[in-house]
Structures are given as structure tokens and as C-alpha cells.
Amino acid sequence: GPLYYNTLGRQGMLVEGFDKLAPFSCLYNYPYYVDIVKGLGFEKECDWIQYMVPADHDLDERLNAISARLMQRYRLHVADFDALKKDREMVRRFFRTYNESFDGNVYNFIPFTEEEIEEEIDQIIGQLDSRLCCVILDEDDEVAAFGISIPSLSRAMQKAKGRLFPFG
């Protein structure tokens, strides 16, 4: 814990990796919080693991070969992400697939309601960068896989000393 009331909120508490720069979108707490929480009798219930993947590194050629074989074998193709973002029905299908895939498989997952899906379509989807996101479709144009990456703003926030505007 602590847990947020839905899956979109920040959840948990940092228990190791205090020497690393936390991504802007992730929780950060001081190391002594762990001792305080344990001292109150709480125990860790699950692990959330975060990885940083440098965007300026090429993938191992073996991964590219495996990917190509899987794409061919299962008749998959990469969706045009910019076109997908404009197709509200396709985005709705994406969220329904997301709900079905994660429900019961991801700790504390709470499926999106239809209202939340519409809100995400209106507020978030249009802002995603097609250079950082990928949706793989099957031969019936159903979502088979996806990856959504968001760059960390932590270094920029450090440089700006936490201020979003020049005057505060």
C-alpha cells in the first residue's frame, strides 16, 4: 500500500532503488518510511517492478528476428497509431481488450467503466506520441498487444527546481 481507488493512480511505496532518479509519474518516499510502516506492523503484499529502457539503444538482432517470425506466424501487423487515436470505436475496443486482459491477472486491477473510457479518449489518447506507442493487431484487426511509453520529466523538473513556470 497505499492503494489508489483505481488502477490509474499511483500505488505502493518505494522500498529499494532510492539511489535512482524516480520517474515523474511514479511515487517517491524517503527510505525511512519503510521502517516506519514495518514498525506499525504492515507487511509487503506484492512487488511492482519498474524498468528503465534507454530509447537510444538498438534491440538485439535476435529479438528482431523473433518478433518478425511471431508477426508472420500469427498474422499480426502494427496499427497506424495516429489513425487509431482518431478512431473512437477502435480505442473503445482497445480499452475493452485491456480490461479483459488485466482483470484477474494484475494485482488490484480495476477495469475501466464506459464513462472512464470516454474520459480517457477525450483527455489522454490524443496526447500520446505515436513514436512512443505501438498497437499490434491480429488479422481481424483486434488488439493483440500494445506498448505505451511516456518519457520521464524528472530531469527537466530538477533543472526547473520543481517550478512549472518561470515565476513559480
Side-chain angles (χ1 to χ4, degrees):
L3 295 177
Y4 198 69
Y5 71 92
N6 72 23
T7 311
L8 295 179
R10 297 175 184 181
Q11 301 191 50
M13 182 169 66
L14 189 63
V15 296
E16 61 184 61
F18 296 101
D19 58 324
K20 308 281 190 277
L21 179 65
F24 186 70
S25 61
C26 294
L27 285 173
Y28 180 84
N29 51 268
Y30 293 105
Y32 66 85
Y33 283 27
V34 177
D35 296 330
I36 291 171
V37 171
K38 283 182 181 176
L40 292 170
F42 291 96
E43 297 176 359
K44 181 171 60 168
E45 194 167 307
C46 76
D47 284 314
W48 290 93
I49 299 172
Q50 176 177 293
Y51 294 98
M52 179 187 285
V53 179
D56 60 349
H57 291 228
D58 290 331
L59 289 177
D60 185 312
E61 277 306 311
R62 292 174 293 183
L63 290 175
N64 288 329
I66 292 169
S67 172
R69 283 197 305 268
L70 290 172
M71 296 287 281
Q72 183 177 12
R73 177 183 296 166
Y74 296 104
R75 298 185 191 112
L76 304 173
H77 60 280
V78 177
D80 177 341
F81 195 78
D82 286 325
L84 186 142
K85 290 190 317 186
K86 296 173 187 169
D87 183 346
R88 288 182 78 87
E89 187 50 41
M90 180 58 127
V91 176
R92 286 184 192 104
R93 288 185 4 228
F94 164 82
F95 276 106
R96 289 184 196 114
T97 301
Y98 176 86
N99 280 346
E100 290 170 17
S101 300
F102 283 60
D103 197 17
N105 296 309
V106 173
Y107 183 81
N108 194 46
F109 178 77
I110 299 167
F112 284 96
T113 65
E114 292 300 320
E115 294 81 21
E116 289 171 325
I117 290 172
E118 295 303 318
E119 186 176 305
E120 290 297 307
I121 292 171
D122 291 337
Q123 295 182 6
I124 305 296
I125 297 299
Q127 297 177 28
L128 294 177
D129 188 332
S130 62
R131 296 171 297 168
L132 301 172
C133 302
C134 180
V135 175
I136 305 294
L137 303 176
D138 66 14
E139 61 189 333
D140 298 320
D141 283 339
E142 295 295 329
V143 176
F146 68 90
I148 297 175
S149 300
I150 301 169
S152 176
L153 301 174
S154 296
R155 291 266 184 245
M157 289 301 289
Q158 279 183 329
K159 190 173 181 179
K161 298 184 170 82
R163 298 172 183 263
L164 293 178
F165 304 105
F167 304 109

